[in-house]
Amino acid sequence: MAKKEAVKEVKFTKEQILKSNNYVGIEKDIIDALLEDKCYTLEEVKKILEDFNNKEVK
C-alpha cells in the first residue's frame, strides 16, 4: 500500500500577506487592522475578511 502524507497548509506572516497581490485596496487596510503579528494560512485570512464583511453595522 502507498503511504498517504498529510498536506501541511502553508502559513504566511502578516507582512507577507500585505505585500502579496492576493489582496488589494481596502482588503489590505482591513488585514492590517485585524491581523496580529503571527502566521496565518490563506484560508484563515479569507475567513477573517468574510467575518468582518458580514458583521452587522450598529
Side-chain angles (χ1 to χ4, degrees):
M1 282 192 218
K3 291 183 181 179
K4 292 184 180 181
E5 294 184 29
V7 177
K8 183 177 179 184
E9 292 188 35
V10 179
K11 292 195 174 198
F12 301 94
T13 64
K14 178 180 175 178
E15 290 301 316
Q16 288 175 313
I17 293 167
L18 289 172
K19 289 180 182 178
S20 76
N21 292 328
N22 291 346
Y23 306 100
V24 293
I26 197 164
E27 289 178 324
K28 286 189 177 184
D29 293 338
I30 294 167
I31 290 169
D32 191 32
L34 296 180
L35 297 188
E36 299 174 10
D37 289 330
K38 63 178 191 175
C39 295
Y40 297 88
T41 65
L42 294 179
E43 284 298 316
E44 289 171 328
V45 176
K46 181 180 175 183
K47 173 94 170 88
I48 290 167
L49 285 172
E50 286 175 357
D51 290 347
F52 178 81
N53 288 327
N54 291 332
K55 278 188 174 180
E56 186 175 324
V57 178
K58 293 182 179 181

